[in-house]
Amino acid sequence: MAETSVENSITPDHKGNVVSRFVWTYVFATDHKVIGLQFLFSSLIWFFVGGFLALAVRWQLAWPWSDMPIFGHMLFAESGGQMSPGFYNMLFTMHATIMIFFVIIPILAGAFGNYLIPLMVGAEDMAFPRLNMLSYWFMWPAFACIILSFFMPEYGASAGWTSYPPLSVFQGDAQSLWLLAMVFVGVSSMMGSINYLTTIIQMRAPGMTMFRMPMTVWGMFITAIMQAFALPVLTAALLMQLSDRLLMTGFFLPENIAVNNGVATSGGGQVLLWQHLFWFYSHPAVYIMILPAMGMVSDIISCFSRKPLFGYRPMVYSITAIAGLGFIVWGHHMFISGMNHTLAMSFMVSTMLIALPSGIKVFNWIGTLWGGKLQLTTPMLFCVGFVAMFVIGGLSGIVMSAPPVDIVIHDTYYIVAHLHYVLFASSVLGVLGAIYFWFPKMFGRMMNERLGKIHFFLTFVFLNGTFFPMHFLSRMPRRVADPYIYEGLKDLLPLNQFMTICAIGMGLTQLIFVANFFGSMFFGAKAGRNPWNANTLEWTTVSPPPHGNFDVQPVVRRGPYEYSHPETDSDFFPQTKTS
Amino acid sequence: MNRFWSVLFLLVPVLGIASILMAMYGVAPLESAWLPKSLSQAGDTIDQLFNGIHLLAAFILAGTVFTIGWALWRFSDRGDSDAKALYITHNTKLEITWTVIPALILVFLAFFQMKSWAENKMERPTVTVNGVSSFKPPMVMVKAKRFGWEFYYAGDDGVVETEDDIFVENLLVLPAGEEIVLQMESRDVIHSFYVPELRLKQDIVPGMTQFVWFNAREEKEVEIMCTELCGWGHYMMKADLNFVSRAQFDAWIAEQKSAYSPEFKKAVEPTASLRGSSSLYSAERLIAAQADLGFEK
Ligand code: HEM
Ligand SMILES: [Cu+2]
Ligand SMILES: [Cu+2]
């Protein structure tokens, strides 16, 4: 096995000096595990950048126009450390952009997808290792564009992560860099998804039928399909907007509008066209940001319940249904946009329907817990937290999918509450759980349980303190630098201050995670091959797995969830074990 | 420790539902947090939906997250028994039940709310003259621009966008107790017209014309908020909306007309050819024109 993978890679034998060895193993890495870790580390770094931006947003909402700590004096010395309203718009724009495109998508698909897919299906590497390398490389021009844009006027793009024209077309040059960055990220994801699809379809170990794949792989598989279909649309739309900005093509601009005394547009374009194209990608994208996490959570919950995943096939069917329906619900972001009001009704019906498979998944997770022998380890706590929080996010989704109700709550903090319950309280908790779970495989050492539990407890408490009250701000518009300019919103100041304090607490809590992560990497207890007594293939090889992954070709004999099988003595039954 | 985690999860629905009920029924400290009192019949219907769906959601939250907390309490491994977990892979009857019942609830919800949506967005008020019914003409043309609101009242001819329109900036005065139609257009980027008290929100998209309608039952002063990001000054794009009695309204309109000399009009109103540029409509220009013409307002 090891030989074939060397053949596959362009890595020369590891001699040479230290520098060239470093370059060959880390820059020109074609091993899916190294690429996975590259995605993991860059996403975690961006996670902290995005978190800082969020805290700055919260700062302004709690103590508007006051002296911002540290950055205030660096950037706004003339105004006494007080941020400008344009800067505020940059903060939430770049916070969302970074969190979505540089953190959650790359960490789920890029890091865990890369690391786990070949290991879990029993392959020695991805189908196209060099394409895989390129897909990580393409993140870097995106990083470069975004870093550069922070040095352009207003310190970055500021038209919202949704980048609605005409506003985005009339923004400064940072917006062009933003668009380019998004194109690069899209190309990167597209290369990744082709690789995942091919690997899952072509490279499964003997005996690994589709319905013996762990939910993690199913989640990645369906996500890759969604990316492959939705990303071309986004890429086209981004390039159209870029050419509107640079070549005055006017795809998205109606006749005769001008901003800041500029030349009036000549027209022929449609403003709403962008929104349709954008949400045609971005609604599937919100599922791209949760299906892999749902898969990983399913595996972890089943493992620590020591019990088969309840209703494996319905779980697979429901993510497939979510993916299918996910392509016909994008209009729920546009109920108030002025789109045909009858069409809104059809989008409402499909959105209501998509809540159904989401609900089924929750019931199945609860069914898995019920009657189990639960081991409340750190990864398990994060995953149970995921389920509980996803209930809240899903329910607020149903509230918003009722168009008459959405009239009130669209573009208010209620939306912000919803999206943070699904993206932070669900996806990010799932990702953290997955890090605690697979860390022993990745680095060969265990993470500290006590610190992990403290991390979970504080994150859980602070995240609810930060995001739950947002449900009650359904009259406070989002993306407003100073809501207290409205008489009717002045009374919301104390609540906002409470949320900001919780958010700062949540930010500080993550330092515990950083300490645990790096501490355990060097000083953690040694993990064997299978510290959690789990069934799936990645646990049959050494930790961390070598180039080529498996010392013996795995042959799969059963599904991944045979925990506490009555015919065995032990409470787990690895997929490869001869009975 | 297992009990501790189970209590943590049990607290989620307890606190969540308690705070939802507090906000819904106006209990301190959340008494004023949720929506302000509705000013219109259509708003009341939306409130009923809003509260009804939230109660349903609270119920489901209780059911699911309580079960999670309870499962942690009951099934945590306390290391005191050798018994294995139950080997259950699925239960078709149970799964069909928890698919069909939510499906029925969702389909019911889907159809139940359609009427309210139609009322708010699709059934534009009509007037019948000599047996012929047509759309009720808008009373005011709203022009949104970076970063303010222009209101053009239909003059004596009852039609907006004619010579005799009356122009007011960042203040909308309307009679209470009447069905009012507004026409809305944007001069530059997308804006959105939001009045929480009326449960009314509509994006205003350049290149498109929108109509909204409502009937406020009380005389009250409220605010119009812009809820679509429109640039650096988005946060300050507000206007006042005053609902007054019909008599007060007529008096106010008369006052506007008398103050509205042709010179003033020429100074502040755009000519057709310049319609595009928002900078021509700035508050500064209005104030400058007023000063030029010796207006005290
Ligand atoms: C039960 C399933 C769900 C339903 C019914 C649902 C429904 C909705 C609706 C109707 C909106 C638009 C609200 C508005 O702007 O007025 C929305 C916004 C949003 N949803 Fe969901 N949602 C669901 C699940 C999810 C999931 C799983 C994610 C991500 C992991 C997600 C992420 C988002 C985001 C990011 C937005 C805000 C986008 C923006 O305007 O910036 N949703 N959702
Ligand atoms: Cu959506
Ligand atoms: Cu605005």
Side-chain angles (χ1 to χ4, degrees):
Chain A
M1 297 283 312
E3 286 82 29
T4 40
S5 74
V6 172
E7 256 169 36
N8 256 336
S9 81
I10 54 172
T11 320
D13 52 347
H14 294 276
K15 288 187 186 133
N17 62 29
V18 180
V19 175
S20 84
R21 207 155 77 203
F22 180 86
V23 169
W24 281 106
T25 8
Y26 293 104
V27 181
F28 289 94
T30 52
D31 181 354
H32 70 99
K33 297 183 290 299
V34 178
I35 298 174
L37 293 181
Q38 289 172 328
F39 270 110
L40 182 69
F41 281 106
S42 49
S43 308
L44 286 177
I45 292 169
W46 281 109
F47 186 49
F48 282 86
V49 177
F52 263 120
L53 296 171
L55 289 183
V57 169
R58 286 300 334 163
W59 181 269
Q60 166 73 6
L61 290 177
W63 298 283
W65 315 125
S66 68
D67 188 347
M68 197 180 18
I70 315 171
F71 290 102
H73 281 281
M74 267 162 57
L75 302 175
F76 296 106
E78 335 73 278
S79 60
Q82 156 195 331
M83 71 171 76
S84 69
F87 186 79
Y88 177 83
N89 293 355
M90 181 287 284
L91 287 174
F92 64 71
T93 301
M94 295 315 298
H95 161 68
T97 304
I98 287 173
M99 288 303 195
I100 290 171
F101 295 103
F102 286 2
V103 180
I104 299 191
I105 294 180
I107 211 170
L108 284 171
F112 285 102
N114 256 310
Y115 202 94
L116 294 177
I117 290 172
L119 280 169
M120 285 185 135
V121 302
E124 73 229 6
D125 205 321
M126 283 286 176
F128 309 117
R130 250 158 282 178
L131 190 67
N132 208 12
M133 173 182 80
L134 263 188
S135 100
Y136 183 65
W137 279 15
F138 262 77
M139 291 303 287
W140 279 89
F143 296 162
C145 288
I146 290 297
I147 292 171
L148 200 61
S149 79
F150 281 126
F151 296 94
M152 315 279 289
E154 290 296 2
Y155 305 105
S158 59
W161 82 278
T162 47
S163 188
Y164 281 6
L167 178 65
S168 53
V169 175
F170 294 116
Q171 291 291 74
D173 294 336
Q175 190 67 27
S176 299
L177 286 172
W178 184 92
L179 290 165
L180 270 179
M182 296 305 104
V183 171
F184 285 121
V185 173
V187 172
S188 157
S189 298
M190 219 152 4
M191 292 193 281
S193 64
I194 289 165
N195 226 336
Y196 302 163
L197 289 175
T198 318
T199 307
I200 294 170
I201 293 170
Q202 291 291 329
M203 300 190 47
R204 280 171 284 129
M208 180 63 89
T209 57
M210 288 302 265
F211 279 103
R212 280 181 181 172
M213 295 195 314
M215 285 308 293
T216 302
V217 180
W218 270 110
M220 301 288 176
F221 183 63
I222 302 289
T223 301
I225 296 178
M226 294 181 90
Q227 286 190 321
F229 281 93
L231 269 168
V233 176
L234 179 74
T235 310
L238 290 168
L239 292 174
M240 283 159 85
Q241 193 179 112
L242 197 61
S243 73
D244 267 12
R245 289 179 53 83
L246 302 178
L247 310 171
M248 299 296 240
T249 41
F251 291 115
F252 303 124
L253 301 177
E255 200 179 353
N256 215 13
I257 59 169
V259 173
N260 295 340
N261 292 327
V263 195
T265 53
S266 53
Q270 277 293 332
V271 173
L272 288 190
L273 177 61
W274 165 264
Q275 297 183 22
H276 284 293
L277 296 175
F278 180 82
W279 289 114
F280 183 83
Y281 165 76
S282 289
H283 184 82
V286 307
Y287 288 103
I288 290 169
M289 290 186 272
I290 203 160
L291 290 185
M294 287 177 160
M296 297 193 293
V297 164
S298 307
D299 287 355
I300 297 172
I301 286 187
S302 168
C303 173
F304 289 118
S305 303
R306 312 311 294 164
K307 197 167 159 280
L309 183 67
F310 192 88
Y312 169 67
R313 279 182 184 245
M315 285 295 242
V316 173
Y317 299 145
S318 54
I319 53 174
T320 316
I322 288 176
L325 286 169
F327 278 102
I328 53 165
V329 299
W330 78 87
H332 65 217
H333 297 274
M334 298 173 62
F335 287 149
I336 313 300
S337 70
M339 160 184 90
N340 178 337
H341 296 302
T342 315
L343 187 57
M345 293 287 86
S346 347
F347 281 119
M348 176 269 288
V349 174
S350 57
T351 306
M352 290 270 166
L353 286 182
I354 210 169
L356 190 60
S358 313
I360 292 173
K361 296 200 69 89
V362 171
F363 297 144
N364 278 321
W365 285 317
I366 297 176
T368 309
L369 292 175
W370 199 259
K373 199 169 179 186
L374 311 184
Q375 297 172 348
L376 300 186
T377 56
T378 307
M380 177 67 160
L381 287 172
F382 273 100
C383 292
V384 177
F386 171 103
V387 177
M389 298 293 97
F390 182 70
V391 171
I392 299 181
L395 288 171
S396 58
I398 297 179
V399 175
M400 301 184 309
S401 61
V405 178
D406 193 56
I407 295 176
V408 186
I409 58 187
H410 173 68
D411 258 329
T412 66
Y413 259 74
Y414 197 100
I415 308 304
V416 181
H418 164 72
L419 71 92
H420 285 92
Y421 267 92
V422 281
L423 287 179
F424 187 89
S426 306
S427 291
V428 173
L429 285 198
V431 163
L432 289 171
I435 292 179
Y436 281 100
F437 188 69
W438 277 290
F439 187 91
K441 186 52 59 184
M442 292 172 171
F443 302 104
R445 289 175 188 270
M446 306 297 289
M447 284 182 85
N448 184 301
E449 272 291 304
R450 175 176 302 233
L451 285 181
K453 284 184 173 146
I454 297 174
H455 176 213
F456 169 73
F457 174 73
L458 293 178
T459 305
F460 193 75
V461 169
F462 282 133
L463 89 86
N464 282 295
T466 309
F467 298 125
F468 202 82
M470 289 185 185
H471 289 109
F472 301 118
L473 302 188
S474 42
R475 62 193 151 107
M476 179 170 133
R478 64 196 276 211
R479 297 173 168 174
V480 165
D482 181 5
Y484 317 109
I485 200 165
Y486 294 103
E487 288 302 321
L489 300 179
K490 286 206 159 71
D491 58 320
L492 297 178
L493 185 65
L495 200 54
N496 271 308
Q497 287 170 339
F498 171 76
M499 292 188 288
T500 298
I501 291 167
C502 289
I504 295 172
M506 188 157 69
L508 292 176
T509 302
Q510 304 318 308
L511 298 178
I512 303 176
F513 171 70
V514 177
N516 194 352
F517 190 91
F518 288 105
S520 305
M521 210 149 127
F522 299 107
F523 307 111
K526 279 255 163 32
R529 289 186 178 223
N530 192 358
W532 310 117
N533 291 344
N535 284 344
T536 41
L537 297 185
E538 77 275 24
W539 302 105
T540 60
T541 181
V542 292
S543 315
H547 215 144
N549 293 344
F550 297 97
D551 25 21
V552 279
Q553 167 69 53
V555 178
V556 177
R557 296 189 166 76
R558 62 190 62 79
Y561 298 115
E562 301 298 327
Y563 292 102
S564 301
H565 196 285
E567 281 160 28
T568 56
D569 292 336
S570 79
D571 66 352
F572 70 116
F573 204 179
Q575 288 191 276
T576 49
K577 195 164 176 222
T578 46
S579 44
Chain B
M1 213 44 196
N2 293 333
R3 294 273 148 96
F4 173 80
W5 296 118
S6 128
V7 171
L8 181 67
F9 281 100
L10 288 171
L11 278 176
V12 171
V14 172
L15 293 179
I17 292 166
S19 56
I20 289 176
L21 292 177
M22 277 159 77
M24 210 176 276
Y25 295 106
V27 181
L30 293 174
E31 71 280 10
S32 66
W34 224 331
L35 295 172
K37 214 168 137 263
S38 154
L39 264 187
S40 68
Q41 187 72 44
D44 295 348
T45 316
I46 291 181
D47 279 7
Q48 281 158 13
L49 272 172
F50 185 90
N51 288 342
I53 302 179
H54 272 105
L55 286 176
L56 177 73
F59 185 75
I60 301 172
L61 175 70
T64 44
V65 184
F66 262 126
T67 319
I68 293 175
W70 174 234
L72 294 196
W73 183 281
R74 211 178 126 194
F75 298 111
S76 285
D77 180 9
R78 274 181 284 281
D80 52 4
S81 108
D82 292 333
K84 285 205 279 189
L86 301 176
Y87 183 81
I88 314 170
T89 55
H90 63 285
N91 179 334
T92 311
K93 256 191 209 151
L94 188 61
E95 289 176 67
I96 291 179
T97 319
W98 73 37
T99 309
V100 173
I101 293 178
L104 292 178
I105 296 177
L106 288 169
V107 169
F108 170 76
L109 266 185
F111 285 95
F112 185 71
Q113 64 193 326
M114 284 186 179
K115 197 167 159 297
S116 164
W117 176 255
E119 208 170 87
N120 279 285
K121 296 285 180 189
M122 290 157 75
E123 290 159 6
R124 198 169 137 196
T126 51
V127 281
T128 310
V129 181
N130 299 333
V132 183
S133 94
S134 58
F135 285 134
K136 186 167 179 174
M139 176 185 256
V140 183
M141 161 71 111
V142 179
K143 291 265 184 186
K145 67 176 178 201
R146 295 179 12 134
F147 300 102
W149 302 89
E150 296 168 5
F151 301 106
Y152 297 87
Y153 286 77
D156 295 327
D157 58 1
V159 181
V160 293
E161 288 204 287
T162 50
E163 274 296 294
D164 65 346
D165 283 1
I166 301 156
F167 168 57
V168 185
E169 194 165 35
N170 291 337
L171 171 66
L172 182 58
V173 179
L174 293 172
E178 290 178 26
E179 175 115 84
I180 288 161
V181 179
L182 304 181
Q183 180 175 346
M184 309 201 294
E185 284 167 17
S186 165
R187 291 205 184 280
D188 37 46
V189 301
I190 309 175
H191 301 278
S192 190
F193 183 95
Y194 180 35
V195 182
E197 287 79 1
L198 293 174
R199 311 292 188 262
L200 173 76
K201 186 182 286 133
Q202 179 60 55
D203 283 6
I204 310 177
V205 181
M208 292 170 75
T209 299
Q210 316 288 344
F211 294 91
V212 294
W213 49 91
F214 48 86
N215 187 340
R217 66 165 89 82
E218 265 172 63
E219 293 167 29
K220 197 164 181 212
E221 298 190 357
V222 296
E223 287 160 309
I224 298 168
M225 307 174 170
C226 177
T227 43
E228 187 65 61
L229 179 64
C230 54
W232 68 267
H234 170 53
Y235 75 99
M236 57 180 193
M237 184 165 164
K238 74 165 184 172
D240 290 316
L241 169 54
N242 297 348
F243 286 107
V244 297
S245 68
R246 184 75 212 186
Q248 281 168 312
F249 177 72
D250 289 337
W252 183 81
I253 284 284
E255 189 190 321
Q256 299 304 310
K257 272 186 199 156
S258 68
Y260 212 67
S261 75
E263 295 81 51
F264 175 70
K265 181 177 161 146
K266 229 166 121 191
V268 295
E269 276 198 351
T271 54
S273 64
L274 290 173
R275 272 263 150 85
S277 174
S278 59
S279 61
L280 292 171
Y281 300 84
S282 67
E284 292 81 45
R285 191 176 160 94
L286 177 66
I287 294 161
Q290 285 168 343
D292 281 355
L293 298 164
F295 271 103
E296 289 297 340
K297 227 182 153 197

